[in-house]
Amino acid sequence: MRALIVHHAGPGVAVQDLGRPGYLAMGLTQGGAADLRAVHEGAALLRQSVECAVLEMVGTGGTFEATEDIRIALTGAVMTAQIDGETAAWNASHLVPKGAKLVIGPTRSGTYGYLHVGGGFATDAALGSRATHQSVGLGALVSTGDTLAIGADKGRDTGMTLTPDPRFTGGTVRIVPSMQTEDFDPAIRARFEDTTFRRDPRANRQGVRMDSDGEGFSNPKALSIVSEVIVPGDIQVTGDGTPFVLMAESQTTGGYPRIGTVLPCDLPRIAQAPAGAEIRFTFLTLEEGAAQQARATAEERKLPLQVAPLVRDPATMQDLLSYQLIGGVVSAADAPLDEG
C-alpha cells in the first residue's frame, strides 16, 4: 500500500483540503486549509489537482517514512526539512525513496506549513471532503503510529521550485465593508484603518485576536446585534472593542458587530502571521474588492506556469549567453598562484 508511516507527529498536524462548501445553512463552515494559497502552490509543484488532500502542520511537523517511492512538495510556513539526513529545500518538490525518513522540524517563518504527496492523502472522506474540522468533530489530528494512505500518483517530476507569495510576516490586509460597517462611527472606522495591530498569541483555526495600543473600537450604537450568519474573514468587534478575524473553522452565526471582512485572498496573510507580527487593514469598496479577488484567483490558476527547476540545466537555459561563465577561471597550464 502506498502510504506514509507517522513515526512522530507534532501537536497540530492534520489532513486538510479545500474544505466543505455548501453546508453553511446546516451550521458547518467550509473549513479546510488555513492557507489555501499554499494548497495551490503544492498542487502546482506536483502538477496535480488542488483538490488533493495535504498535511497541515502548526509549529512543527514530525517524522515520516514512505512505504514506496513517493513525490512530495513543501509549501506554506518555512520549516526545517530533511530526507534521510539531507536538507530538503522548502517551496519545492522532492523524491522520498521507499524506506527513507522525512523529518520536518520547527517553523522558521509563518505559522502553517504544508506537506503534499503525489496522489494526495487518501484518508476517509466525510461530506465530500477529507478536511479535519476539529470544532465539529470531523476527523482527528494525526498521531504517532498512524499510517496515512496515499492515492495513485500520475506525475513524475521532482526537483521543482516555486517562488512563494510573501505573506508570512503580517503587513497590509485588504477588507471590504460588512453588514455593520456603517453602524460604526466614521471616526472609529478611520482610526481602525490608521491603527497598526499586532497578531495576538491567542489564535487558532477559529479566529485571530488583534492587539493594539490605545482605546478599543467598540461602538456604543452597535455593542451587539441579533445573531446572524458570519463567514471566515469577518472582523468581529467584541464588547471591549477588540477585533477578532474569523478563520476557517469559525462559527456560522454570531452576535458581535463586524467592522469589515477580509478578502479571501488576503486571509492567508492573517493565518500565517506569527505572534506579534504587525498588521494594518485598509478598506476597499465592494467593487474594488471583487476586482482584487478576481485578479488573485487568476494568478493562482497561473501558478503551474511559474514552476521552475531547483537546479537549472544549461542545455535548457534560453538566456545562457547572459551569464558570465568564465570569471575566476584559473588555467591548469598557467597557474599564477603557483609561481614562486
Side-chain angles (χ1 to χ4, degrees):
M1 179 180 70
R2 285 173 50 81
L4 201 64
I5 301 170
V6 183
H7 290 291
H8 172 73
V13 179
V15 175
Q16 296 293 351
D17 56 22
L18 300 181
R20 299 175 177 85
Y23 292 96
L24 193 63
M26 302 177 189
L28 178 64
T29 45
Q30 180 167 328
D35 181 356
L36 292 177
R37 171 82 180 199
V39 176
H40 283 80
E41 290 171 345
L45 284 166
L46 294 176
R47 308 289 189 187
Q48 64 184 15
S49 170
V50 296
E51 296 182 0
C52 288
V54 306
L55 275 193
E56 182 177 88
M57 305 169 289
V58 186
T60 189
T63 301
F64 312 94
E65 178 183 345
T67 62
E68 296 184 13
D69 290 359
I70 63 170
R71 297 186 307 142
I72 69 164
L74 303 167
T75 67
V78 177
M79 297 173 162
T80 60
Q82 293 183 331
I83 301 173
D84 270 355
E86 296 292 329
T87 298
W90 210 260
N91 302 307
S93 62
H94 307 276
L95 174 68
V96 179
K98 177 181 179 179
K101 296 291 179 62
L102 169 64
V103 179
I104 301 178
T107 303
R108 290 180 172 177
S109 65
T111 301
Y112 295 93
Y114 294 86
L115 167 61
H116 313 250
V117 294
F121 289 99
T123 54
D124 293 337
L127 298 178
S129 169
R130 294 183 168 89
T132 302
H133 199 309
Q134 285 187 271
S135 60
V136 298
L138 286 172
L141 294 178
V142 173
S143 301
T144 299
D146 287 350
T147 297
L148 304 175
I150 298 174
D153 184 8
K154 299 179 181 179
R156 299 179 62 183
D157 291 343
T158 58
M160 308 301 287
T161 188
L162 184 66
T163 301
D165 174 69
R167 59 187 184 278
F168 304 100
T169 57
T172 300
V173 173
R174 296 164 294 184
I175 62 177
V176 294
S178 188
M179 298 294 289
Q180 291 84 37
T181 300
E182 294 299 322
D183 292 339
F184 287 84
D185 289 337
I188 293 177
R189 299 200 303 268
R191 184 163 55 84
F192 181 83
E193 198 169 11
D194 290 340
T195 296
T196 298
F197 293 92
R198 297 178 301 277
R199 195 266 207 184
D200 191 281
R202 290 166 287 184
N204 54 33
R205 286 176 48 82
Q206 291 181 290
V208 176
R209 187 180 192 271
M210 292 290 153
D211 285 335
S212 65
D213 299 324
E215 61 181 310
F217 299 89
S218 60
N219 188 350
K221 295 188 297 183
L223 284 177
S224 63
I225 57 174
V226 175
S227 186
E228 61 181 19
V229 64
I230 53 177
V231 296
D234 280 346
I235 307 174
Q236 290 186 318
V237 178
T238 60
D240 65 358
T242 302
F244 281 78
V245 181
L246 303 185
M247 303 303 288
E249 290 187 14
S250 67
Q251 66 274 29
T252 56
T253 61
Y256 289 120
R258 292 160 290 178
I259 197 168
T261 300
V262 177
L263 293 186
C265 58
D266 280 6
L267 205 52
R269 188 176 291 274
I270 298 290
Q272 293 288 12
E278 294 186 347
I279 293 173
R280 296 283 298 267
F281 296 99
T282 183
F283 276 101
L284 303 180
T285 65
L286 286 174
E287 292 75 17
E288 291 170 338
Q292 293 297 325
Q293 182 62 40
R295 182 176 302 172
T297 300
E299 289 176 356
E300 282 184 343
R301 291 173 180 160
K302 295 178 181 177
L303 283 175
L305 302 177
Q306 300 172 23
V307 172
L310 262 174
V311 179
R312 300 184 68 184
D313 180 357
T316 64
M317 293 170 62
Q318 297 182 358
D319 56 348
L320 182 62
L321 294 179
S322 67
Y323 286 79
Q324 167 57 275
L325 300 178
I326 62 172
V329 172
V330 177
S331 169
D334 183 18
L337 294 179
D338 292 338
E339 297 178 359

